[in-house]
Amino acid sequence: VQLQASGGGLAQAGGSLRLSCAASGRTGVMAWFRQAPGKEREFVAAMRWGDGNTRYADSVKGRFTITRDRAKVTVYLQMSSLKPEDTAVYYCAARPIYSVRYYDPEQYDIWGQGTQVTVSS
């Protein structure tokens, strides 16, 4: 499976952006992570493909929403009420089987290319 991420760009604080991640095949879970300069990669959101169950990092809960298009095997990350601290390179990731450690980047062996999100104050 390969992942193709798109979207991102520049937004003002309080604004919105949407990221997309298309998979070339079926997966068990798809997730978004982000990495700011000088920081470790951190979990943002995940969706279990089978039942659509979602998980979010506390820092984005209520502001970001992960959704999917089953036919296109694509997940989206709708980001609203953006803050400057959301600035990072965002990566989508996948693994064939759901893991209870969905928040751990080490659990994922399939990664898309990063896409830059910059939020200005």
Side-chain angles (χ1 to χ4, degrees):
V1 175
Q2 294 181 325
L3 303 177
Q4 181 68 44
S6 60
L10 178 64
Q12 291 187 331
S16 299
L17 286 172
R18 190 178 82 155
L19 306 181
S20 301
C21 179
S24 61
R26 294 185 63 181
T27 66
V29 60
M30 293 183 73
W32 289 97
F33 290 80
R34 65 186 182 186
Q35 188 166 19
K39 295 188 177 181
E40 293 186 350
R41 192 166 297 188
E42 66 172 0
F43 170 74
V44 176
M47 175 178 282
R48 188 163 56 193
W49 197 257
D51 61 8
N53 188 272
T54 58
R55 293 286 187 270
Y56 295 94
D58 288 343
S59 59
V60 306
K61 207 171 287 184
R63 299 189 299 122
F64 291 10
T65 304
I66 186 170
T67 58
R68 65 178 173 179
D69 183 322
R70 296 188 70 138
K72 296 181 179 179
V73 198
T74 297
V75 292
Y76 305 94
L77 186 68
Q78 179 65 48
M79 305 182 292
S80 302
S81 301
L82 284 164
K83 304 175 181 180
E85 50 264 44
D86 294 319
T87 295
V89 177
Y90 284 70
Y91 298 89
C92 61
R95 55 175 283 128
I97 301 173
Y98 181 76
S99 168
V100 294
R101 295 179 59 86
Y102 56 86
Y103 50 85
D104 182 356
E106 295 294 326
Q107 296 294 308
Y108 295 83
D109 53 5
I110 305 169
W111 291 86
Q113 81 283 12
T115 184
Q116 177 71 45
V117 171
T118 302
V119 183
S120 61
S121 56

